Each structure stands twice: as C-alpha cells, then as structure tokens.
C-alpha cells in the first residue's frame, strides 16, 4: 500500500530513483502531493495556483514513457516570478493578476525536458521584493516564512512538493530556507538562465532552488550545468568559519550552532579556521549592494507600475524612491568597488575551500508583517558566489529551524555542492525530509 505521508516526504533524488526503478509512479506521487496541498494549503497559503488536471495529465505522460531525464516524473513548484504554461505570472502583484503567458521560462523548459512535472506556482512577495505575501511558516504559523521565495520554502517544509524554484537578489533563497528548515541553492551569478523571470536587478538577480537535501542539488547540477567535478577527500577540506561584523546581532543559539558545527568538523578531521576579517570592508560591500540593487530596481520596476501606483505598497514605492536618489556616479562607483571586492574574495580561496556562516540571524522572525532581516545573504549576493543553506540546528525551547550556509568560489557550484554534502552529512540536521 502506498501511503501519502511516506510519498510527500521524499526528496527529489529519492523520488526520481524510485520512479526510475519502477517502484513508484509519477501519478502516485503527484496525487499524494495534490492531496497534501488540498489538505494543508488553505491555512498555509504557499501556492498561488495549482492545476491538478494538467499535472496529473503530465504525470501520466511521464509514466507512459521510458525514464530519461534526471527528474523524470518528479513534481516541481515554480516561484511566481517566472513564466510556466498554463499558469498566470502575477509577480505577487494585483497589477499582473491576468498576466497569462504562452511560453515557459528557460529554466522551466529545462526542468520539463529533464522529465519534471510542473505542479503549480508558489507565492512570491510583491515583485519579489520585501513586502510580504500571505504565506505562513509551517514550522511556526505565527512567524514569517521569509521572502521572496516564501511560498517555495513553505511548500517544501510542509511536504507539498519535493522541489521548487526560487531566486535571490538579496537573501530570498537562503533566508526562507533557514526560517522554514529546508535547503536552498543560490547559484553563482549568471550560471542559471533568467529568461522568462522577472528582472529586478540586472547585476544581482540569481536563480536557485529549494529542496530537502543537497543530493537534490547534485541532480540539478547535472541538468543545468553538466557533469560534477570529482568529490573532495573529506580530510582535505579547509573550512573557514565566518562570523563577521554582524555576529553581535545573532540570536544567541546561532552563535552556539556555528561554534558546534566547527568543532564537529574539526573532530571529523577537517581543517577549520576562523576567517575574520574578510579581505575587504564588509560594511562597505553591504552598502554598495544596497546602492546597486535599489538603483537597478528603480530602473526596472518603475515602468511596470507606471499608472498603477495605487495598487503598490508604500514600502515598495519608498524603495523605488531610494533607488532614484542613487546617482549614476554613485552607482558606477559602487560597481567598481564590487569588482575590487570580488577580486579580493577570489584571492582568499588559496587558503580556504569553503566558508560556513549563518544563513539568517536566528530563527524566523515573529509576526507576518515582515520577511525578516536579509543581512546574512546580502554580502554573498553582492559577491556573485554560490551559497547553499542547510537546516543544521534548532532552538532549544521551541525547535525553530536555524540555518547555516556554505559559500564557495564564484563559478564553482559543483565543487561547493559536493563539499557541502560532506559537511551537511557530518553536522546533520534536526529536520528529516
């Protein structure tokens, strides 16, 4: 007997393996996910749109064909800032409530070609920025799920779907993953295709995914980036613990988690060192990120809302105004400083293979009127490097997720994944898939 609870808890990699082996059908898995969504999403609000009929028809087609792609028959949720047929693309705004698209975004087409079944569209915040959407955190309904990939993270954590897409300009993948207790991969800038995805920042927007294991990202690397490099020897890894100038703002249990993780890795035979300070000014980098982002968001989003300002939140309008106040000269100077900082970080990898640092300041922020502080992801989005968030801890009193993230060299997403898998397996997670 196939039990819904068993199926909806599968990782994408395990689901793909079972479908390929013939012990599970895509229709069975999709049906279990749809039943879970019907049962749970009225309270959670992780989904904008689900097309059960289309998903089951697509799953039946997969079952009738010999498995070929790495995600054959596996259901996937698509963040609602990307085009996916037959769904509307609303960008989290009523302005685009009737925005029907006739072509998949490039990454959605790639997922379909790999055999994935598109289940529906997950909630994003307003134009994938900071004003929150309706989604609740399944681990703690009175706390934020983060943003802007909030629907995808909540859907993963609540076992609606084994894999979902996301994107990040500041901290929109790693923060919701940390708050909801799932995994996120923010790719190196430019490594994954953005055609068909809402553009907010031409030099910072980065595609990524949310999943229940690092193994799922290895499958995605095969689909999007090709063959993985050779896995590193565990004892050869050199891990840098990065606290940074924000450590005084951390939740006390986050400080303990990073220290314990470092000690666990040392006991496993790895070289673990503190990497502070960074080889550039972190504070200056964070300020440059804000200048670049707001300047580009003002240029890209203002035309989309022209004449419709009454349907936009005051918070978004304020951010657009901030961006307009960033002069062209300031923007150019920030971009030049960014290139200098990226070069300085690149030089650091001669002495360190990977950084381990918090994915958020602490557990999910109480209340639903904010998506939480994005500080812990901001620097790594600015520097264009890959980052992978992992749910490596929980608060003692109420078991709220605490996430750490690994940071690797720019363009080395596969090597970062393989090293992260080793680290995640050693440190462990209190949250089973």
């Amino acid at each position: 007997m196939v039990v819904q609870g068993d199926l909806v808890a599968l990782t994408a990699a395990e689901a793909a393996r079972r479908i390929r082996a013939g012990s599970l059908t895509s229709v069975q898995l999709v049906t279990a996910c749809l039943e879970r969504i019907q049962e749970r999403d009225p309270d959670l609000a992780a989904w904008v749109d689900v097309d059960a009929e289309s998903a089951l028809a697509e799953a039946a087609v997969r079952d009738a064909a010999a498995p070929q792609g790495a995600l054959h028959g596996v259901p996937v949720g698509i963040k609602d800032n990307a085009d996916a047929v037959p769904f509307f693309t609303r960008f989290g705004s009523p302005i685009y409530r009737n925005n029907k698209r006739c072509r998949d975004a490039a990454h959605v087409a790639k997922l379909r070609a790999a055999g994935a079944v598109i289940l529906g569209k997950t909630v994003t915040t307003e134009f994938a920025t900071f004003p929150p959407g309706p989604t609740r955190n399944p681990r703690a309904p009175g706390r934020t799920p983060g943003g802007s990939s909030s629907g995808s993270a909540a859907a993963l954590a609540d076992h609606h779907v084994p894999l979902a897409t996301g994107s990040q300009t500041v901290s929109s993948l790693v923060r919701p993953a940390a708050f909801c207790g799932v995994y996120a991969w923010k790719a190196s800038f430019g490594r994954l295709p953005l055609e068909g995805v809402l553009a907010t920042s031409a030099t910072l927007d980065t595609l990524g995914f949310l999943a229940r294991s690092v193994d799922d990202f290895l499958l995605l690397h095969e689909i999007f980036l090709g063959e993985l490099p050779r896995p590193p020897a565990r004892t050869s890894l050199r891990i840098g613990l990065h606290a940074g100038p924000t450590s005084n703002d951390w939740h006390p249990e986050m400080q303990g988690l990073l220290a314990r993780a470092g000690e666990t890795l040392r006991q496993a035979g790895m070289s673990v060192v503190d990497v502070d300070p960074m080889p550039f000014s972190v504070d200056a980098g964070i300020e440059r990120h804000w200048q670049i982002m707001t300047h580009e968001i003002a240029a890209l989003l203002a035309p989309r809302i022209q004449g419709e300002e009454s349907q936009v939140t005051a918070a978004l309008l304020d951010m657009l105004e901030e961006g307009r106040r960033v002069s062209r000269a300031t923007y150019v100077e920030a971009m030049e400083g960014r290139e200098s900082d990226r070069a300085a970080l690149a030089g650091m990898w001669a002495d360190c293979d990977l950084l381990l640092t918090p994915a958020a300041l602490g557990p999910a922020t109480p209340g639903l009127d904010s998506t939480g502080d994005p500080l812990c992801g901001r620097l790594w989005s600015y520097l264009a490097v890959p980052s992978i968030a992992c749910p490596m801890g929980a608060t003692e009193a109420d078991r709220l997720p605490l996430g750490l993230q690994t940071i690797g060299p720019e363009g080395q997403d596969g090597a970062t994944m393989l090293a992260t898998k080793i680290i995640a397996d050693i440190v462990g997670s209190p949250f089973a898939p």
Side-chain angles (χ1 to χ4, degrees), residues 7 16 66 134 138 146 172 179 181 214 239 245 261 279 283 305 321 332 348 369 381-382 400 409 415 417 426:
L7 294 186
S172 295
F179 285 176
V214 179
I239 309 300
D283 289 339
I305 67 169
E321 182 57 34
V332 169
M348 188 193 73
D369 57 351
S381 293
Y382 164 77
L400 295 174
M417 288 176 189
I426 291 171

Side-chain angles (χ1 to χ4, degrees), residues 293-383:
M293 182 191 72
T294 55
H295 182 85
E296 293 183 347
I297 282 180
L300 290 167
L301 288 189
R304 285 189 172 274
I305 67 169
Q306 189 170 10
E308 302 283 358
E309 286 84 357
S310 64
Q311 298 193 67
V312 176
T313 63
L316 180 56
L317 292 175
D318 288 345
M319 185 167 64
L320 295 180
E321 182 57 34
E322 278 199 56
R324 293 187 189 98
R325 290 198 295 265
V326 176
S327 69
R328 179 67 185 177
T330 298
Y331 172 76
V332 169
E333 184 179 351
M335 289 293 288
E336 291 172 348
R338 182 191 188 202
E339 291 311 303
S340 175
D341 290 346
R342 287 169 71 176
L345 181 68
M348 188 193 73
W349 301 117
D351 302 313
C352 181
D353 299 308
L354 206 68
L355 293 178
L356 185 64
T357 188
L361 293 174
T365 308
L368 300 175
D369 57 351
S370 165
T371 57
D373 194 321
L375 186 60
C376 291
R378 190 181 295 277
L379 186 66
W380 316 115
S381 293
Y382 164 77
L383 294 168

Side-chain angles (χ1 to χ4, degrees), residues 37-79:
I37 291 169
Q38 185 177 28
E39 173 191 349
R40 298 279 298 175
D41 203 53
D43 293 327
L44 191 65
W47 297 86
V48 180
D49 197 4
V50 174
D51 189 329
E53 183 178 352
S54 174
L56 287 169
E58 200 169 346
V61 170
R62 301 303 185 201
D63 288 337
Q68 294 180 342
L71 288 172
H72 188 92
V74 177
V76 178
I78 306 299
K79 180 178 177 179

Side-chain angles (χ1 to χ4, degrees), residues 95 109 150 189 191 316 325 342 408 431:
I95 297 173
S150 51
F189 176 77
R191 292 280 278 163
L316 180 56
R325 290 198 295 265
R342 287 169 71 176
F431 299 98

Side-chain angles (χ1 to χ4, degrees), residues 68-143:
Q68 294 180 342
L71 288 172
H72 188 92
V74 177
V76 178
I78 306 299
K79 180 178 177 179
D80 195 29
N81 67 336
D83 297 335
V85 177
F87 303 98
F88 293 94
T89 303
R90 297 183 175 92
F91 307 132
S93 171
I95 297 173
Y96 285 86
R97 56 185 170 272
N98 297 318
N99 184 34
K100 192 81 167 181
R101 312 304 293 167
C102 61
R103 177 183 292 182
D104 287 333
H107 70 285
V108 177
K110 195 83 167 175
L111 290 168
R112 285 198 206 270
V117 174
I118 305 306
L119 205 58
K121 302 294 285 292
T122 59
V123 169
T124 185
T125 59
E126 184 183 34
F127 290 107
T129 58
F130 298 110
T135 307
R136 293 178 174 270
N137 190 321
R139 310 283 189 188
R143 291 173 179 258

